[in-house]
Amino acid sequence: MPLIITRNNLKVYIGDNTAEKKFRAELSILLKSTFGIESYTQLQIKEILKVSLNYYIQEFTRICHYETAYYFYQSVLMFHEDAVEIAVKHSENEFSDVIPEGYLPKYRRILKFIIELACEVPMEIIAPTANDRQRIEKILDDLLFLGDMILTCVSLYSEQSMIEDVAEVNFDKNGLYVFSRRHHYNHVFDYISELYGYFIEKSAGDENGIQDLFKAFEDCFGIKYKDIGHIIGSIHDQNKSEYEGFNWDALPSNLERLFGVPYSVGELFFKGLTLDKHNKMSLLDLSCKPYNINRYLYKPIIIWNVNGKDFAFLGKNVWTESIIQFATNAIPWAKVPKEWAENRCFKKYVHKKEDQHDKWLDDEVENILMKENCLYSRNIKKLRTPNGYENFDTKGLGEVDFIIVSHDTRKILIVDCKHLQSRYDPVNQRNDFNAFTIGPKKGKSYNETMGNKVKWFTSNQNLLQHHFDCDISTYSVEGIFIVNTPTLYMFNSEYRIYTVNQLASVLNGTFKDRTFIIHQQGEDGLKLLKINYPYFQKPKYLEINDIFG
């Protein structure tokens, strides 16, 4: 039963596996003819993933360009609106009895792919036929499989840049390709997925971000958020559906006519939220650059061409989703539409939020330090000494967010806080990996900066003892990072990275890394793996037959 209707009357399409065999067989022939059948190196696997990604993108694009029926894309809009409503207003656990775990986030992304590609499609309103539902389901089956494989390829490719010897490609008994991870890595990824669900609810952020954004709309553009909602609702009422198109000009025109906002101001505001065939990204960029805001997630007004005329489409749930994303996961990092940045007042608001967002995390860390009754200094550039102050910022080390004395662990912690964007897929998290390990072209990586700090404070531990006025001469110096939200690199980092909700246990010495004991049957007998932190290291196998004789 591919169409699920929840008790809230929300519709979710669950694709079947009919498309898989067709596309896997075709791509398998291409891969075998291009690369042969052998044990591939990681470099060869990278090339295989590139070829596969290109194949999937071409097929996805071909299907969308061929499908011109307006009602198909209306159906996709409806499915997407319902999927977003579940994400924004409900918990996915509410529907775990009918919707597979983990299905909805990927489902929403693939539906967005279709909606954005549809900007390129000259749609036609055609009379429905008796076979339309079956035809639509077949197209969705194909696109959901292809979209899933696009995301799989870009994830594996990104993982390869962060993890040693991770990806595997081979062929099953039917000659069909199989993408997988090597060694114990799947076990670790399953564990990380469990942690992400917990961390999402605990991550530190801007509690007033949404209300502050509404106020900035009013202060800078003279637009009240509730008035926008009134206009959107009126357009939907007039069309008798939120899945019908309307003239884009209706948005700034009604804002001027009903609420006195100059047309030029409304035009600038709504243009910043509009996605069309001119400013949309390619499917490749959509897949590989999810941090770019030129996408439906941040531009909820979509322009489609129907019967030769451009129409705007705007769902109430995707509108809400976009506003939440702007307030929580874009503006604090100075990511806004270029049209909004032309408004000096709004640009000033964005810079203020950018300056504040590191402080949210620092404040949360300090609250924990006070609860744990720790000795610490915050935002420090110099140390107290018997002869005055020693300014270590002149050594090129920069400010240290916190220096913490943990008596329970007998450590002096040199702490830098990093307020990261919420990212829960390897493609996005590669940005974090690069920031920690590579750094900008004309700057140092986080790790290099931390290494310099640890080296200096270790060499000058006597100054720390004077600064804190206590005997810490036998304590070790350790550099750590505190983040607001988890990132993949924290499970394999050079310097330990902890989320803010782990900090108390780190300070009192109760934090424990998980250890994995994994048994694998190989050709030469049963192999035992004991995996400790760091988790993403190529393992050394122990033969159980050798251990027990």
Side-chain angles (χ1 to χ4, degrees), residues 54-71:
N54 184 59
Y55 168 81
Y56 293 130
I57 285 177
Q58 284 182 347
E59 288 299 302
F60 195 104
T61 304
R62 177 186 62 80
I63 292 171
C64 288
H65 284 175
Y66 183 78
E67 178 53 52
T68 60
Y70 172 50
Y71 60 77

Side-chain angles (χ1 to χ4, degrees), residues 29 32 65 68 83 95 222 249 251 267 338 375 422 427 445 448 472 485 515:
I29 293 171
K32 285 185 282 189
H65 284 175
T68 60
F95 309 103
D249 284 346
L251 293 166
E267 181 182 38
K338 66 178 192 280
L375 196 60
S422 297
V427 186
S445 69
E448 184 180 358
I472 51 176
T485 189
T515 297

Side-chain angles (χ1 to χ4, degrees), residues 33-268:
S33 66
T34 306
F35 299 98
I37 302 175
E38 56 184 86
S39 179
Y40 304 114
T41 66
Q42 288 297 291
L43 187 60
Q44 287 174 311
I45 289 174
K46 272 194 172 184
E47 293 305 310
I48 288 172
L49 290 173
K50 286 181 183 179
V51 169
S52 301
L53 178 59
N54 184 59
Y55 168 81
Y56 293 130
I57 285 177
Q58 284 182 347
E59 288 299 302
F60 195 104
T61 304
R62 177 186 62 80
I63 292 171
C64 288
H65 284 175
Y66 183 78
E67 178 53 52
T68 60
Y70 172 50
Y71 60 77
F72 169 76
Y73 294 102
Q74 276 187 308
S75 300
V76 173
L77 271 184
M78 178 198 70
F79 285 132
H80 183 262
E81 275 293 294
D82 285 359
V84 171
E85 182 166 335
I86 293 173
V88 172
K89 299 180 182 178
H90 301 276
S91 165
E92 292 184 20
N93 294 332
E94 292 181 42
F95 309 103
S96 59
D97 55 331
V98 291
I99 301 174
E101 183 180 359
Y103 178 77
L104 283 170
K106 190 174 289 187
Y107 172 71
R108 287 193 301 271
R109 285 193 68 182
I110 297 169
L111 293 179
K112 283 181 168 71
F113 286 172
I114 301 170
I115 290 167
E116 295 186 48
L117 257 177
C119 292
E120 304 171 0
V121 176
M123 301 178 197
E124 296 177 305
I125 298 176
I126 57 177
T129 67
N131 296 324
D132 278 347
R133 175 169 176 173
Q134 184 179 358
R135 196 177 69 81
I136 287 174
E137 288 182 354
K138 181 183 179 302
I139 296 170
L140 281 175
D141 288 338
D142 286 354
L143 291 176
L144 288 172
F145 172 75
L146 291 168
D148 188 6
M149 293 312 300
I150 288 170
L151 296 174
T152 297
C153 284
V154 294
S155 292
L156 277 174
Y157 192 89
S158 297
E159 288 171 17
Q160 279 193 305
S161 66
M162 298 184 282
I163 301 170
E164 179 188 11
D165 198 38
V166 61
E168 181 67 282
V169 178
N170 49 40
F171 295 90
D172 64 16
K173 62 182 181 181
N174 298 314
L176 300 178
Y177 72 82
V178 177
F179 294 153
S180 59
R181 298 185 182 105
R182 292 179 174 175
H183 312 304
H184 59 282
Y185 294 150
N186 273 335
H187 295 275
V188 178
F189 272 96
D190 289 343
Y191 167 62
I192 291 172
S193 295
E194 292 176 15
L195 289 182
Y196 280 172
Y198 170 78
F199 284 136
I200 289 171
E201 297 182 0
K202 300 287 184 178
S203 59
D206 183 4
E207 295 180 355
N208 301 313
I210 294 176
Q211 293 302 318
D212 288 348
L213 179 57
F214 294 168
K215 187 174 186 302
F217 286 162
E218 186 168 356
D219 291 346
C220 300
F221 294 98
I223 299 173
K224 294 182 179 179
Y225 183 75
K226 65 180 180 64
D227 294 342
I228 303 173
H230 176 79
I231 289 171
I232 294 171
S234 298
I235 291 173
H236 289 165
D237 289 343
Q238 186 175 355
N239 286 346
K240 298 181 180 178
S241 170
E242 62 181 292
Y243 308 117
E244 292 291 343
F246 58 91
N247 290 326
W248 185 90
D249 284 346
L251 293 166
S253 294
N254 285 338
L255 199 60
E256 181 178 47
R257 181 174 60 85
L258 297 174
F259 302 106
V261 177
Y263 182 92
S264 60
V265 174
E267 181 182 38
L268 191 74

Side-chain angles (χ1 to χ4, degrees), residues 33 58 90 156 223 273 308 364 397 471 500 502-503 521 536:
S33 66
Q58 284 182 347
H90 301 276
L156 277 174
I223 299 173
L273 296 166
E364 185 67 22
L397 302 180
D471 184 9
V500 65
Q502 293 174 321
L503 178 58
Q521 184 66 49
F536 293 115

Side-chain angles (χ1 to χ4, degrees), residues 42 100 135 203 275 388 415 456 478:
Q42 288 297 291
R135 196 177 69 81
S203 59
L275 191 73
V415 180
W456 191 88
E478 180 180 343

